[in-house]
């Protein structure tokens, strides 16, 4: 059976989804997709609901996308869930978000684990309190041998902070005589980042019509294709990921070359 037939077997597609799906070259799928989930607040407002309702609904979108990524040849999917700048939000929104990370993990952990999802965190979890830190480290430990899809959650994450952390670590290695200055190269830096064990994202998606990177995987996104959509994150479903993958496949990736 072809990869396409295998994937189609697991999905129930409507006519429009089928049109997009059939145009995708499943042998040329990005291995790593990074997503800036934006627009939860605006979506909630448009429904006459509090912002927090948008965040709750955003968890359903994560769930749909992870499930889909487990069925297609994507190996890593990274979600920007909480940036180091998000602490500036109101105390009640921050506290709701922290509660939501914890309760969603509890709700879905066994199911995700059974589906072969590896759960990994990028970011400085130590600032999120001992309870959340333990829950996510335990989830990481429980799922570390799963190979279907690696779901990375960026929590208390900042691309600049990660590069600063790595810079300090390398400076210490050099000053203590453990590392020769000449050994520092791009690969050495890459493998020390939180994302060190995974390939760089080929596709970076941001929802809700904002065209910014917002301190997200600054080093890793150097050659990613950026895809911006007006869809708010709580509305983002399988079909929107198909649209993004198709657009990615229609781009001419030159990596600074000419073709
Ligand atoms: C951006 O929308 C969204 C966030 C900062 C939070 C995203 C978090 C979730 C979807 C929950 C994740 C849960 C787990 C388990 C990781 P916004 O609030 O900036 O929306 P706005 O721009 O419309 O105000």
């Amino acid at each position: 059976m072809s990869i396409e037939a295998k994937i189609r077997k697991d999905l129930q597609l409507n006519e429009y989804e089928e049109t997009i799906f059939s145009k995708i070259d499943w042998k040329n799928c990005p291995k790593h997709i990074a997503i800036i989930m934006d627009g939860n607040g605006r979506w909630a407002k448009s429904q006459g609901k509090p912002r927090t309702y948008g965040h709750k609904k955003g968890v359903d979108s994560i769930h749909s996308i992870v499930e889909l990524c487990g069925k297609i040849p994507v190996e890593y999917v990274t979600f920007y869930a909480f940036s180091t700048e998000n602490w500036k939000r109101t105390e009640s929104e921050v506290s709701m978000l922290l509660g939501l990370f914890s309760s969603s993990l509890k709700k879905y952990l066994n199911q995700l684990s059974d589906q072969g999802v590896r759960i990994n965190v990028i970011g400085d979890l130590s600032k999120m309190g001992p309870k959340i830190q333990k829950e996510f480290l335990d989830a990481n430990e429980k799922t570390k041998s799963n190979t279907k899809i690696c779901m990375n959650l960026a929590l208390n994450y900042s691309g600049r902070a990660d590069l600063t952390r790595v810079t300090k670590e390398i400076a210490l290695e050099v000053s203590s005589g453990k590392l020769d200055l000449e050994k520092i190269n791009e690969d050495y830096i890459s493998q020390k980042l939180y994302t060190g064990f995974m390939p760089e994202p080929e596709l970076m998606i941001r929802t809700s019509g904002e065209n910014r990177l917002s301190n997200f995987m600054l080093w890793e996104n150097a050659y990613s294709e950026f895809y911006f959509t007006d869809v708010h994150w709580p509305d983002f479903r399988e079909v929107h990921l198909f649209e993004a993958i198709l657009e990615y496949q229609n781009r001419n990736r030159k990596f600074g070359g000419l073709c």
Side-chain angles (χ1 to χ4, degrees), residues 21-73:
F21 181 91
S22 58
K23 289 185 186 145
I24 294 174
D25 171 4
W26 291 103
K27 288 192 210 79
N28 179 26
C29 208
K31 297 252 168 307
H32 185 172
I33 298 178
I35 304 179
I36 301 180
M37 308 178 285
D38 202 2
N40 292 352
R42 276 164 285 168
W43 179 88
K45 196 172 168 203
S46 76
Q47 312 277 312
K49 297 271 181 20
R51 296 176 51 78
T52 47
Y53 182 68
H55 297 317
K56 277 191 199 143
K57 287 291 171 189
V59 177
D60 296 342
S61 304
I62 298 181
H63 193 236
S64 305
I65 296 306
V66 171
E67 209 162 66
L68 173 64
C69 287
K71 294 174 182 163
I72 62 179

